[in-house]
């Protein structure tokens, strides 16, 4: 599903040259739940951004379904982002003036679905994340964990091949974090491929596999016992 070959990302700021990703090679098979962990500044977000085609590496390849998405046109990358990938960040980035349903419908309309189909997909996604009875609530009427699940519904509405999540529980208390992580586990059980960055070792371990980063390199890459 995802193959990374000799992926390197170097940031140049003034005199400084920061090797955020240092020649990484690995792959993520379809249906895998991969967590990426490591200290602050180790390159986790940078890795997620390159895998998610949200940024371009300095060198190396990022293959999605066998196609290197780095040399293709920006337009092709945008189409892949819209159609095949989904993203969840730590600040849920949902729109406060729109209901849970509207927040989930908007990106589907942007992807070109007609309204009835967009609504149908959005409702399905909200039901999948356990918010079937909160669709018409505004974000202010939802808990942090429920808001983050709206963000997950929005990311999965178009049935992406892969979802990328960067510290999705960073702003949540432990109980709501558990709910959000359980939502990811349930989605993965239904076959969803997930790459999730997390600081929390206990959450990292719930996934099939954990990559630990240090200074832009893979420190360890282990399959977790179930
Ligand atoms: N746009 C940028 N310009 C310059 N340096 C950057 C940029 N983005 C990241 N870096 C640097 O690259 C390194 C890796 O950053 P990254 O954000 O990937 O770390 P992280 O593992 O996600 O950390 P955290 O756990 O704090 O989120 C850091 O040294 C960071 O300062
Ligand atoms: Mg980060």
């Amino acid at each position: 599903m995802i193959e990374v070959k000799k992926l390197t990302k170097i940031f140049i700021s003034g005199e400084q040259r920061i090797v955020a990703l240092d020649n990484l090679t690995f792959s993520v098979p379809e249906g895998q739940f991969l967590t990426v962990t490591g200290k602050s500044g180790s390159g986790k977000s940078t890795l997620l951004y390159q895998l998610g085609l949200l940024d371009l590496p300095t060198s190396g390849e990022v293959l999605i379904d066998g196609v290197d998405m780095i040399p293709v046109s920006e337009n092709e990358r945008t189409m892949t982002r819209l159609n095949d990938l989904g993203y969840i960040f730590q600040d849920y980035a949902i729109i406060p003036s729109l209901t849970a349903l509207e927040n989930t419908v908007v990106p589907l309309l942007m992807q070109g679905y007609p309204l009835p189909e967009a609504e149908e997909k959005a409702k399905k996604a909200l039901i999948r994340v356990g918010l079937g009875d909160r669709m018409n609530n505004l974000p202010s009427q939802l808990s942090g964990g429920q808001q983050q699940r709206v963000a997950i519904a929005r990311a999965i509405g178009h049935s992406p091949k892969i979802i990328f999540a960067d510290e999705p529980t960073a702003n949540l208390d432990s109980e709501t974090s558990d709910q959000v992580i359980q939502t990811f586990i349930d989605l993965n059980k239904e076959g969803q491929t997930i790459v999730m960055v997390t600081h929390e070792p206990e959450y990292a371990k719930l996934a099939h596999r954990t990559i630990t980063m240090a200074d832009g390199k893979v420190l360890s890459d282990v399959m977790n016992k179930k």
Side-chain angles (χ1 to χ4, degrees):
M1 168 117 328
I2 314 174
E3 280 178 85
V4 174
K5 294 183 186 169
K6 297 187 175 176
L7 187 67
T8 296
K9 178 73 181 184
I10 298 169
F11 292 110
I12 311 274
S13 54
E15 299 278 275
Q16 262 194 321
R17 186 171 170 279
I18 298 158
V19 183
L21 298 177
D22 191 356
N23 201 28
L24 303 185
T25 298
F26 63 90
S27 55
V28 186
E30 189 173 352
Q32 188 164 71
F33 187 176
L34 168 68
T35 44
V36 180
T37 193
K39 292 201 180 107
S40 180
S42 58
K44 305 180 297 294
S45 295
T46 306
L47 176 60
L48 202 82
Y49 271 67
Q50 317 305 308
L51 295 182
L53 311 180
L54 295 165
D55 191 16
L56 284 173
T58 306
S59 61
E61 300 175 15
V62 177
L63 285 75
I64 295 186
D65 281 346
V67 180
D68 184 6
M69 296 306 297
I70 306 307
V72 305
S73 67
E74 187 53 45
N75 191 41
E76 264 182 78
R77 269 192 300 276
T78 302
M79 293 314 288
T80 300
R81 279 198 298 266
L82 279 175
N83 296 326
D84 298 334
L85 310 178
Y87 308 93
I88 295 133
F89 299 100
Q90 64 181 59
D91 49 352
Y92 336 120
I94 57 177
I95 301 164
S97 57
L98 300 183
T99 65
L101 181 60
E102 290 163 347
N103 262 290
T104 313
V105 163
V106 166
L108 290 162
L109 294 176
M110 282 163 59
Q111 283 155 27
Y113 290 103
L115 184 61
E117 209 180 325
E119 276 196 349
E120 195 187 314
K121 284 181 184 294
K123 284 180 183 166
K124 240 173 100 180
L126 284 162
I127 291 166
R128 254 178 108 180
V129 302
L131 291 175
D133 55 349
R134 308 309 295 268
M135 292 194 197
N136 297 315
N137 285 84
L138 291 168
S140 61
Q141 300 165 328
L142 297 170
S143 71
Q146 289 169 335
Q147 290 182 49
Q148 186 60 302
R149 282 186 281 147
V150 173
I152 297 173
R154 193 184 46 185
I156 62 169
H158 59 299
S159 309
K161 289 179 181 161
I162 310 157
I163 60 178
F164 296 98
D166 193 355
E167 307 265 6
T169 62
N171 292 330
L172 303 175
D173 62 42
S174 63
E175 195 180 324
T176 46
S177 293
D178 288 350
Q179 291 171 10
V180 166
I181 296 298
Q182 190 56 50
T183 303
F184 283 110
I185 292 170
D186 293 343
L187 287 170
N188 174 253
K189 281 194 181 130
E190 293 166 29
Q192 178 70 58
T193 309
I194 302 172
V195 180
M196 180 178 88
V197 169
T198 179
H199 264 116
E200 311 287 339
E202 64 267 38
Y203 289 150
K205 274 186 237 146
L206 295 173
H208 294 125
R209 173 182 175 197
T210 303
I211 287 181
T212 304
M213 304 274 303
D215 296 326
K217 295 190 185 76
V218 173
L219 188 67
S220 69
D221 183 348
V222 298
M223 297 305 286
N224 296 310
K225 292 198 192 81
K226 278 275 149 101

